[in-house]
């Protein structure tokens, strides 16, 4: 298989998110690497994903899991070499898998040569590449992101005896995008990777690129201007390459980052994610309907990226206080599970390892409008380790088999970058890819069939959505439509069997075909269409008029 | 068979869509067309302010399709559906509204039965019944009713109010002290248009074979309270603020009020004999919020007219009273009727004995029971006149002391009632 020439590939993609470090170790040093990842590409191809989103793999002091980049044009020695990356990229493309990499534009590590030069003296030519101040009172009122760690957005630099601005950790100084040289430098970095063949960038923390007094220093017009210029250059020189925005904002605010189709190609829909969890726990479709009602239309060429879990905490920034308290009470009763404003847990443990709920949530993810992202390990129901610091509990080694170190590495267990999960429920002896490959009814096999169906119908990735709103609020039902394809999705959000009557008058005469078993259901008629669903059950029906 | 299917298919379909709920508020919108919208808004706001996580439903019982009140209730969009929200508050779940249309003009008993059935089918944990006509209905009052059941696991919640000292005289001088002395639980407002109950009490009451009884049709709430007491369920009172209804005059409708309240109380005595015949001294029930409050605003009650109605009523009903009252009681009544208005007093001991005579005669059915209860009206007027004369200058504290004294008198004379109750009586034809 080779990559098809399709500039809108990101709209039809199913993305797999992973960190090189966590996936597969080829040289027995206890740390995953590109050579190991390359060996596992067959697994990902078989799973049915179509793109891989790699977390930062650049040289870095790793004080923020690689988001503190010390060199933008190389590979961290632990993960291999640039040559290893090129091999990986070629092998992925050979299998039809696109590669999206991280690009952190907002800040660098304080170990990056640019910052070292900038702080070395006030006269250094790179001094103005960062945001400096004589006082720590500028930009008062700007929120602090990592409230558990930082007390100010300013940090004192004892070398140049002044303050520098950082929206994240104090070891991550913000770049100064008011300096045109900074923009040119990051464009050079992006060109470097595009020339190697990467298919897209996830631009980290894009809302914070520019600072202005009297504002929250977020979402400023100057930031949008920078994005537009990047996009313009990208379209001109690298058509088909994609920009994905990481902006943890309300949809109405994120909407601006699509511009008129001239800024980002895609952006995460952060508020939808906690509401999917909430809806299942509440057994009520209201949270999902509400947030999608509030989601504005986006340009035809743009796409929302949606997800259940990722490498960070399950962020609860985009919920009300009442909703946050509810999520904590229901999904993070042990306070160790909480970090910043979120929950550091994986999908399966959050669902108490209930296969039906895990399937329902994945069913929602794959049938909602947007490009779905699967976080590594969630396809086999991996657990977490909440006793590891920061968010490392959801970044443990991939569980490949029941051999030493879960098949992740041949190193001594003590040498692994993080211990493998080994408890009785989620441990690698019980939960691993190899055993699930062999079991016809495993979660992994089920995920494959789910992705197979999803990938066979463009309606899921590009279609419109229309909610049916049956009187039974525990049932979430919607029509997806794209061209001649029409799909009815019916989800039982509750833990008990439900009956629901659907108003499908508009589709009178259509035959619903259950999409996994390809079984025919009774034709839609004049009356409301009665369906019964078991606990957490969902149906996908292809509608055909024959 | 008709009894088995008293819920309509339409209602069942609505209930199916609601599913299990935590909280249910029921009301009858009949004859409340002007206030039903306000009531629905207040309940919705209470849910949004106080129960953001809970599964909630409002069950509105209305008349047939031509009922203007229920039609208005049905047409009133709920706040959540309209997207209108209490500022800063978000209910997490869908807020449901069920319109239960009952053919004709449903009585309070039919309305309650419908609400109980809905509560049972929806497995509601806490339920409240409110009156859309009550101007004191607020988000807080709804929450104050529901909380003791939902949070504190009580099974029955009676309201408590701030009242003018001239309001609620029937409750003060008859219903409260008598029910407290006999059933052993000090519930001040046994008869009210708003109360709350647990799902298990709802199920218990729903399954009683009483729904054809006239007493239940008119005022089912006291029966619910007494059913809770009879089953050793937990009862309490919750303060709801000022009582909304204006002071009822002691004019012609007192007869109907007595039929509905005293008639129901007597019927409960009859049907729950084992409960009160064996119960010991009364006990107070837990109260949420402030205790019973009294205010001392002046009253425009026409005392002279009340006295005249007492005197003429007793004279006219002489033959009936003679068959109801013990001869000694009757003799004392006749002697006070002849007193001048200024010197007239209806002593508490005589009042208690009179009521116990009525209760015993109700039990023995010495005359038609409905007529018997109606015959109490002139005597109640006499007691009321005496009360007004005695307490025109009393402070709220003094009123409370008098109320406690009266309760003590009811308890003291309980053996008298028991003796008369158990006596063999030859019923006059």
């Amino acid at each position: 298989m080779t990559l098809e020439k399709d500039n809108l590939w990101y709209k039809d993609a199913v993305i797999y998110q992973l960190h090189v470090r966590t996936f597969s170790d080829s040289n027995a040093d206890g740390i995953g690497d590109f050579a190991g990842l390359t060996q596992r590409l067959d697994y990902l191809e078989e799973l049915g994903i179509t793109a891989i989103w790699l977390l930062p793999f650049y040289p870095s002091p790793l004080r923020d899991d690689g988001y503190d980049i010390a060199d933008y044009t190389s590979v961290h020695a632990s993960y291999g070499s640039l040559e290893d990356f090129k091999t990986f990229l070629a092998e992925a493309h050979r299998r039809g898998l696109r590669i999206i990499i991280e690009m952190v534009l907002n800040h660098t590590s304080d170990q990056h040569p640019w910052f070292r030069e900038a702080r070395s003296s006030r006269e250094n030519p790179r001094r103005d590449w960062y945001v400096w101040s004589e006082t720590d009172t500028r930009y008062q009122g700007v929120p602090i992101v990592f409230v558990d760690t930082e007390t100010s957005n300013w940090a004192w630099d004892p070398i140049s005896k002044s303050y520098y601005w950082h929206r994240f950790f104090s070891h991550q100084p913000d770049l100064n995008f008011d300096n045109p040289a900074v923009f040119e430098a990051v464009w050079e970095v992006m060109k470097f990777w595009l020339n190697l063949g990467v298919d897209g960038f996830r631009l980290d923390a894009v809302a914070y690129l520019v600072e202005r007094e009297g504002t929250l220093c977020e979402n400023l017009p100057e930031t949008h201007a920078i994005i537009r210029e990047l996009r313009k250059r990208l379209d001109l020189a690298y058509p088909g390459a994609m920009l994905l925005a990481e902006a943890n904002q309300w949809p109405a605010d994120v909407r601006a980052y699509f511009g008129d189709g001239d800024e980002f190609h895609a952006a995460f829909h952060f508020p939808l994610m906690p509401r999917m969890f909430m809806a299942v726990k509440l057994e009520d479709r209201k949270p999902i309907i509400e947030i999608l009602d509030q989601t504005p239309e986006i340009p035809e060429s743009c796409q929302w990226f949606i997800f259940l879990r990722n490498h960070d905490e399950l962020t609860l920034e985009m919920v009300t206080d009442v909703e946050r308290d509810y999520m904590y009470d229901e999904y993070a009763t042990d306070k160790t599970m909480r970090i910043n404003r979120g929950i550091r847990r994986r999908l399966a443990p959050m669902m108490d390892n209930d296969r039906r709920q895990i399937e329902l949530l994945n069913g929602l993810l794959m049938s909602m409008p947007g490009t779905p992202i699967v976080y590594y390990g969630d396809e086999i129901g991996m657990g977490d380790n909440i006793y590891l610091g920061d968010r490392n509990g959801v970044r443990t080694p991939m569980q490949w088999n029941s051999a030493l170190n879960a098949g992740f590495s041949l190193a001594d267990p003590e040498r692994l970058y993080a211990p493998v999960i080994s408890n009785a429920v989620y441990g690698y002896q019980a939960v691993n890819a190899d055993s699930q490959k062999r079991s016809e009814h495993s979660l992994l096999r089920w995920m494959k069939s789910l992705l197979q169906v999803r990938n066979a119908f463009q309606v899921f990735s590009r279609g419109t959505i229309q909610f049916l709103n049956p009187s039974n609020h525990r049932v979430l039902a919607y029509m997806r439509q794209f061209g001649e394809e029409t799909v009815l999705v019916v989800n039982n959000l509750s833990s008990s069997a439900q009956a629901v009557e659907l108003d499908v008058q508009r589709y009178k005469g259509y035959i619903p075909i259950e999409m996994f078993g390809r079984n025919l259901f009774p034709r839609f008629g004049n009356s409301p269409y009665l369906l019964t669903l078991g606990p957490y059950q969902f149906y996908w029906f292809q509608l055909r008029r024959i | 068979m008709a009894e088995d299917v008293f819920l309509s298919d339409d209602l069942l379909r609505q209930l199916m869509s609601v599913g299990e709920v935590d909280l249910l508020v029921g009301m009858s919108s009949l004859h409340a067309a002007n206030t039903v919208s306000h009531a629905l808004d207040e309940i919705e706001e209470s849910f949004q302010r106080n129960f953001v996580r809970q599964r909630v439903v409002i069950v509105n019982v209305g008349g047939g399709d031509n009922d203007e009140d229920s039609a208005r209730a049905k047409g009133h969009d709920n706040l959540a559906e309209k997207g209108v929200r209490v500022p800063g508050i978000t209910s997490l779940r869908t807020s449901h509204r069920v319109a239960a249309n009952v053919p004709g003009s449903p009585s309070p008993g039919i309305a309650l039965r419908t609400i109980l059935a809905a509560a049972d089918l929806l497995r509601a944990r806490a339920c409240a019944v409110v009156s859309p006509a009550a101007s004191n209905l607020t988000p807080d009052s709804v929450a104050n009713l529901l909380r003791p059941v939902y949070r504190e696991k009580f099974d029955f919640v009676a309201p408590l109010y701030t009242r003018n000292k001239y309001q609620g005289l029937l409750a003060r001088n008859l219903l409260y002290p008598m029910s407290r002395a006999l059933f052993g639980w000090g519930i001040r407002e046994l008869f009210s248009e708003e109360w709350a109950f647990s799902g298990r009490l709802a199920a218990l009451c729903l399954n009683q074979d009483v729904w054809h009884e006239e007493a239940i049709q008119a005022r089912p709430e006291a029966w619910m309270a007494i059913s809770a007491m009879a089953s050793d369920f937990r009862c309490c009172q919750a303060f709801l603020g000022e009582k909304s209804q204006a002071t009822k005059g002691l004019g012609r409708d007192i007869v109907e009020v007595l039929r509905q309240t005293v008639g129901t109380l007597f019927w409960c005595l009859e049907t729950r004999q084992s409960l009160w015949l064996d119960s010991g001294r009364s006990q107070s029930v837990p109260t949420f919020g402030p205790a019973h409050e009294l205010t001392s605003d002046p009253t425009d009650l026409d005392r002279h007219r009340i006295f005249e109605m007492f005197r003429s009523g007793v004279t006219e009903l002489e033959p009936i009273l003679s068959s109801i009252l013990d001869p000694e009681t009757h003799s004392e009544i006749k002697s006070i009727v002849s007193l001048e208005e200024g010197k007239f007093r209806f002593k508490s001991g005589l009042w208690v004995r009179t009521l116990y005579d009525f209760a015993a005669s109700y039990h023995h059915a010495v005359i038609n029971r409905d007529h018997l209860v109606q015959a109490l009206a002139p005597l109640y007027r006499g007691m009321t006149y005496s009360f007004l004369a005695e307490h025109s200058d009393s402070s709220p504290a003094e009123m409370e002391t008098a109320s406690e004294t009266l309760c003590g008198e009811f308890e003291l004379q309980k053996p008298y009632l028991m003796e008369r109750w158990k006596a063999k009586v030859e019923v006059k034809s």
Side-chain angles (χ1 to χ4, degrees), chain A residues 169-437:
Chain A
F169 290 118
S170 58
H171 55 80
Q172 292 167 316
D174 276 28
L175 286 163
N176 177 17
F177 276 87
D178 285 333
N179 183 344
V182 169
F183 178 85
E184 294 302 331
V186 298
W187 172 239
E188 286 302 315
V189 167
M190 290 172 73
K191 281 202 306 185
F192 173 84
W193 293 104
L194 289 163
N195 288 335
L196 289 183
V198 302
D199 301 283
F201 297 99
R202 171 192 180 269
L203 298 193
D204 186 64
V206 286
Y208 311 105
L209 297 186
V210 178
E211 299 77 31
R212 289 291 179 269
E213 200 64 66
T215 74
L216 293 177
C217 298
E218 295 174 16
N219 310 316
L220 297 177
E222 294 86 343
T223 295
H224 288 283
I226 290 165
I227 303 299
R228 275 195 299 276
E229 180 59 23
L230 275 181
R231 174 67 184 270
K232 195 169 113 188
R233 295 186 183 192
L234 195 76
D235 284 351
L236 205 61
Y238 305 96
M242 179 209 63
L243 294 180
L244 164 64
E246 190 244 5
N248 189 355
Q249 315 272 338
W250 291 100
D253 296 326
V254 177
R255 170 65 186 83
Y257 285 96
F258 293 114
D260 297 324
D262 57 354
E263 293 192 27
F264 282 95
H265 298 81
F268 293 105
H269 197 310
F270 278 98
L272 175 61
M273 176 270 300
R275 283 166 179 81
M276 288 196 273
F277 288 98
M278 216 183 304
V280 171
K281 192 59 83 173
L282 288 166
E283 303 193 356
D284 195 315
R285 63 176 181 246
K286 184 184 177 196
I288 293 175
I289 302 265
E290 270 188 352
I291 197 63
L292 290 179
D293 277 350
Q294 293 169 28
T295 301
E297 291 291 316
I298 56 177
E300 182 68 25
S301 62
C302 297
Q303 180 80 316
W304 292 109
F305 275 29
I306 58 178
F307 57 99
L308 294 172
R309 290 295 299 112
N310 62 20
H311 63 295
D312 282 330
E313 70 273 22
L314 188 162
T315 178
L316 298 175
E317 293 279 355
M318 294 296 113
V319 296
T320 64
D321 291 345
V322 171
E323 291 167 336
R324 187 177 304 114
D325 289 346
Y326 180 78
M327 288 291 285
Y328 278 146
D329 288 348
E330 295 295 336
Y331 287 115
T333 44
D334 183 342
K335 289 195 167 50
T336 314
M337 298 167 176
R338 306 175 188 181
I339 188 170
N340 299 319
R341 284 188 154 194
I343 299 171
R344 48 177 167 190
R345 299 186 71 192
R346 269 190 178 271
L347 177 63
M350 282 186 68
M351 296 297 105
D352 207 15
N353 214 20
D354 181 343
R355 174 75 180 269
R356 298 170 305 177
Q357 292 186 64
I358 294 170
E359 289 184 3
L360 172 65
L361 277 163
N362 276 301
L364 285 170
L365 179 70
M366 296 298 163
S367 61
M368 288 271 171
T371 293
I373 301 169
V374 178
Y375 185 52
Y376 88 93
D378 280 352
E379 75 276 15
I380 57 171
M382 262 176 66
D384 50 38
N385 181 352
I386 58 172
Y387 303 105
L388 296 178
D390 197 7
R391 290 148 289 180
N392 296 322
V394 299
R395 301 167 180 175
T396 58
M398 175 68 183
Q399 296 171 192
W400 293 105
N401 54 45
S402 58
L404 177 71
N405 299 328
F408 162 76
S409 170
L410 292 175
D412 288 338
E414 294 81 6
R415 218 182 147 190
L416 300 188
Y417 75 91
V420 294
I421 303 289
S422 56
N423 64 51
V425 179
Y426 302 104
Y428 62 92
Q429 298 92 339
V431 178
N432 65 71
D434 277 3
S435 65
Q436 293 198 22
K437 269 187 201 171

Side-chain angles (χ1 to χ4, degrees), chain A residues 1-3 89-99 197 199:
Chain A
M1 186 188 288
T2 51
L3 293 178
L89 190 61
E91 285 299 310
H93 282 173
R94 191 170 67 77
R95 290 169 173 81
L97 303 176
R98 310 261 182 182
I99 302 301
D199 301 283

Side-chain angles (χ1 to χ4, degrees), chain B residues 169-241:
Chain B
L169 298 185
L170 181 62
R172 170 175 291 274
N173 291 321
L174 195 164
L175 301 170
Y176 166 55
M178 187 168 178
S179 62
R180 174 174 147 177
L182 298 184
F183 291 112
W185 293 81
I187 293 178
R188 283 183 179 272
E189 304 280 354
L190 203 55
F191 292 86
S192 172
E193 290 176 316
E194 44 207 352
W195 72 99
F197 48 91
S198 65
R200 68 172 186 154
L201 180 57
L204 177 89
C205 291
L206 179 67
N207 294 322
Q208 304 293 310
D209 185 19
V210 296
W211 296 102
H212 58 283
E213 296 286 348
E214 196 178 339
I216 298 297
Q217 291 305 315
R219 300 300 296 261
E221 62 270 30
W223 165 75
M224 262 198 104
I226 290 164
S227 296
M229 296 172 198
S231 301
D232 268 342
F233 283 9
R234 298 176 71 213
C235 299
C236 70
Q237 302 176 108
F239 187 75
L240 301 188

